[in-house]
Amino acid sequence: LMAGMMKQAVAVQGDFKPQEIANTLRAFATLGLQPSEALTVGMMKQAVAVQGDFKPQNIANTLWAFATLGLQPSEELMAGMMKQAVAVQGDFKPQNIANTLWAFATLGQKPSEELMAGMMKQAV
């Protein structure tokens, strides 16, 4: 079943929007299943392509999923997620902040000073 779903997701991932990227990756992480390399690489490329449309929950869930799966996102994806997180930081809810910062720490990534300042401001 999962192999068939993965194959289908790879076939249509170029049409995925941020919510679909986040939900797909989160589902794999929640189930404790590793997505195929083709799906992982495709999701990263698609996330970069639509990074300007990511909302705080999409950012948090996508990064949480990569961290939970033990997968290191590409530098391009991390840069894009950080840039978009700064752009929408005023909309982050406490759970989004916690999940995003946990993911950064787990992935061994350092959030920009601008992102940290915005998250701290939003948290209080």
Side-chain angles (χ1 to χ4, degrees):
L1 177 66
M2 288 306 292
M5 290 176 68
M6 241 187 295
K7 185 177 178 182
Q8 181 61 24
V10 168
V12 299
Q13 65 193 359
D15 296 327
F16 277 25
K17 296 174 186 77
Q19 179 84 31
E20 294 157 338
I21 294 166
N23 287 351
T24 301
L25 292 170
R26 185 170 176 86
F28 277 96
T30 301
L31 292 170
L33 299 173
Q34 288 290 324
S36 67
E37 184 175 348
L39 183 59
T40 302
V41 170
M43 288 287 173
M44 281 193 268
K45 287 180 181 176
Q46 184 62 11
V48 170
V50 297
Q51 72 187 21
D53 296 329
F54 271 75
K55 295 178 180 168
Q57 187 172 359
N58 306 141
I59 295 166
N61 288 347
T62 299
L63 294 178
W64 176 90
F66 275 107
T68 299
L69 290 165
L71 298 173
Q72 190 65 45
S74 66
E75 288 182 29
E76 188 177 20
L77 176 60
M78 286 304 296
M81 291 291 100
M82 196 168 331
K83 179 181 177 184
Q84 184 61 10
V86 168
V88 298
Q89 63 191 2
D91 296 328
F92 271 78
K93 292 183 168 66
Q95 188 67 53
N96 305 144
I97 293 169
N99 288 354
T100 300
L101 294 179
W102 176 86
F104 269 94
T106 301
L107 292 167
Q109 300 281 335
K110 183 177 179 189
S112 68
E113 288 183 26
E114 186 177 13
L115 179 58
M116 281 303 300
M119 294 258 180
M120 288 190 303
K121 181 179 176 184
Q122 193 66 14
V124 287

